[in-house]
Amino acid sequence: MKIAIVRQRYNPYGGAERFVERALAALAAEGIDVFLIARQWTQAAANGFQRINCDPPSGGVFGGRLARDRGFALAAAKLMAAGQFDLVQSHERIPGCSIFRAGDGVHAAWLAQRARVLGAVGRWSQRLSPYHRYVLDAEANMFAHPALRAVICNSRMVADEIHRFYGVDRERLVLIENGVDLDVFNPEQVSIHRAGIRRASGIPESVPLLLHVGSGFARKGVPQLLQAMARCAGGEFHLAIVGADRKLNALRATAERLGIGRRVHFTGPLPDVRPWYGAADGFVLPTLYDPGPNAVLEAMACGLPVLTSTSCGARDWVIPGKNGYLVDALDVDALSDGLLRLCALAELPASRLLARAAVAELGLPAMADRLIALYRRLIVGNGLQVSPDRVV
C-alpha cells in the first residue's frame, strides 16, 4: 500500500501536526509505504517514512501567506498526480485529494465565529480579504471535486459544519478522533508532578489550580478567561497558561491590571506539558473555534475535568456536571460561573474518573486501526463500509 500524506509545515506545538506525526509512525510500523509531501517537517527522519520535498518559491517577504499557501497547493497537486499513490490524504485544502482530514476545521465556520468578535470594519475587511477568499474557494472546490472519496473528521462538530456549509454527503464523513497515548497521559501524573510544580511556582497545595494549554491566545479565549477570572468573587484559585503568543507580555500586564497577576502563571510554550497536567485540578479552554484540540484530549486522559466552549469539538467528550461544563466562548459571566463550578467539580474524585473514561477508547492504536481500515476499504474499491458509529 502506497499512501501520501500532505501537510505544508510541521509545528511541534501544533495539534494537527502532532496528529500527522503519530499517524505516520503508526502506519509505517504496519509496513505501509508512507510518503510525506511537505515544505518543512523537522521530525521526518525519526518516523520511518519518506519525505518528498515541496518548497516552491513563495515570493519572499512580499509574497505573504496567500502566495505561500497557493504556491504550495499548486506544487503539491502536481506531486500528488505524478506519484502513482494508492491514496492521497491531504491535511491542506487542495482539490484532487482522495481523502481530506479536516484537522483544522472548516474555514467558513471559523470565519463565522471570528466575525462575532469583529466590529463592522473588521467584518467588512474579513469578507474582502484575498486570503480568506482564496481559502474559502479552495475549501469549496476540494469538497466538490470528484476525486474526494472520504473526509476524516476529528469531531462530530466538524462533520456537522462540513455538511451544513458544503452539503457533503454524510456517508463520506468519517469520524476518527485524534489519538492520545493513554500510557503517557494518565492520572499518575498527579503523584509524579503535583507537589514539585506547585512548590516551584508558589501555588499552595490546598488552592485549586486550573490549566489552559494552547497557542494563539485570542482564538483560544485567553482574554475572556482573564476577564472571567477577575469576576470570580471569592474565588482564590490559580490559573496556569501554557502556550506561545506575540501578545504574551501584554496579557501579563492585563492580568496585573485586573488584580489577578499573582494567581496567573504564564509559562510560555513547553515541549512537555505533563507536569502541569499533574499539578492541575481542572482544565479550561474557552476557545472561539477549535475542531478537536489535543490539549483537551490529553488533559482528560490525565483525569482533569474540563470547561470548554460550545464551539469546540471536544464538547463531544464533556458530560455537563459530571466531568466538566460547556459555555459560549464570549459569555464572560457564564465563563466566570463555570470556573467556580469547575473548581468545585474537581474536588470530586468521580469527576476525574469520568474525565479519563470519556477518552479511554481514543488511544493511538485505535486511531491507527481506524485509519488503516479506512484506507484498505477505499483501496479495494468496496466503498467506505464504515461502522455506523464512525459515519457522522
Side-chain angles (χ1 to χ4, degrees):
M1 192 183 297
K2 186 178 178 183
I3 297 174
I5 305 287
V6 182
R7 182 65 174 174
Q8 184 166 184
R9 64 184 299 272
Y10 175 77
N11 169 11
Y13 302 111
E17 290 81 354
R18 283 187 288 165
F19 176 94
V20 177
E21 185 181 355
R22 293 168 178 173
L24 291 176
L27 292 172
E30 289 284 328
I32 296 172
D33 290 331
V34 180
F35 296 80
L36 176 67
I37 298 174
R39 183 193 297 274
Q40 297 175 2
W41 192 278
T42 57
Q43 301 296 322
N47 285 322
F49 55 83
Q50 303 173 60
R51 172 174 167 174
I52 301 175
N53 187 57
C54 182
D55 191 12
S58 59
V61 295
F62 300 104
R65 59 179 178 173
L66 173 55
R68 179 200 65 203
D69 289 2
R70 177 183 283 144
F72 177 82
L74 291 172
K78 292 180 181 179
L79 291 170
M80 287 159 48
Q84 297 184 329
F85 301 107
D86 294 298
L87 291 172
V88 175
Q89 176 178 310
S90 180
H91 293 240
E92 310 289 349
R93 299 168 180 89
I94 301 177
C97 59
S98 44
I99 304 172
F100 173 62
R101 182 180 183 271
D104 294 328
V106 179
H107 198 69
W110 156 236
L111 293 182
Q113 291 293 342
R114 185 171 181 260
R116 299 174 61 202
V117 298
L118 298 175
V121 174
R123 291 193 295 272
W124 175 81
S125 177
Q126 177 172 279
R127 284 194 298 271
L128 297 182
S129 163
Y131 176 75
H132 291 312
R133 291 167 66 184
Y134 160 73
V135 176
L136 289 173
D137 286 344
E139 195 167 73
N141 291 334
M142 180 194 62
F143 284 128
H145 198 284
L148 185 67
R149 301 173 63 190
V151 180
I152 298 174
C153 307
N154 58 358
S155 68
R156 296 183 186 277
M157 181 189 81
V158 169
D160 291 341
E161 291 167 349
I162 294 172
H163 180 71
R164 183 169 74 252
F165 281 96
Y166 296 106
V168 177
D169 293 339
R170 291 280 184 180
E171 289 75 14
R172 287 194 290 163
L173 303 177
V174 182
L175 179 64
I176 302 180
E177 299 94 336
N178 294 6
V180 62
D181 191 326
L182 295 168
D183 294 326
V184 171
F185 296 96
N186 57 63
E188 280 67 48
Q189 301 304 316
V190 175
S191 60
I192 299 171
H193 297 294
R194 182 180 177 94
I197 286 291
R198 283 173 170 258
R199 183 168 55 251
S201 304
I203 304 170
E205 173 62 32
S206 59
V207 173
L209 170 62
L210 301 183
L211 174 65
H212 176 286
V213 176
S215 297
F217 290 164
R219 181 169 70 88
K220 298 289 186 177
V222 172
Q224 303 94 278
L225 179 56
L226 295 178
Q227 295 174 34
M229 183 176 179
R231 295 186 190 183
C232 290
E236 286 301 315
F237 60 89
H238 282 231
L239 172 66
I241 299 177
V242 178
D245 194 275
R246 290 177 296 177
K247 296 185 178 180
L248 189 149
N249 288 333
L251 287 167
R252 277 199 180 103
T254 297
E256 293 291 343
R257 178 175 53 80
L258 292 172
I260 56 175
R262 69 175 182 82
R263 295 189 288 122
V264 180
H265 309 266
F266 289 92
T267 72
L270 298 174
D272 186 1
V273 188
R274 283 179 297 169
W276 284 99
Y277 289 139
D281 298 291
F283 187 85
V284 57
L285 187 70
T287 179
L288 187 60
Y289 183 72
D290 216 323
N294 276 329
V296 176
L297 186 56
E298 293 168 355
M300 297 187 83
C302 290
L304 295 181
V306 168
L307 171 64
T308 191
S309 63
T310 53
S311 49
C312 177
R315 68 191 188 189
D316 294 349
W317 311 322
V318 176
I319 307 171
K322 301 294 185 180
N323 65 0
Y325 296 98
L326 300 173
V327 297
D328 185 286
L330 300 181
D331 190 336
V332 176
D333 287 335
L335 179 56
S336 179
D337 181 65
L339 292 173
L340 294 175
R341 289 177 178 269
L342 184 64
C343 288
L345 184 66
E347 295 180 357
L348 305 177
S351 70
R352 285 184 170 267
L353 294 175
L354 290 171
R356 172 76 175 187
V359 300
E361 301 300 319
L362 302 181
L364 293 179
M367 179 197 70
D369 288 346
R370 290 165 184 161
L371 280 171
I372 293 168
L374 173 61
Y375 298 152
R376 287 179 176 149
R377 290 181 185 116
L378 290 174
I379 287 174
V380 298
N382 292 330
L384 283 181
Q385 299 181 2
V386 178
S387 172
D389 68 319
R390 296 286 107 194
V391 176
V392 287

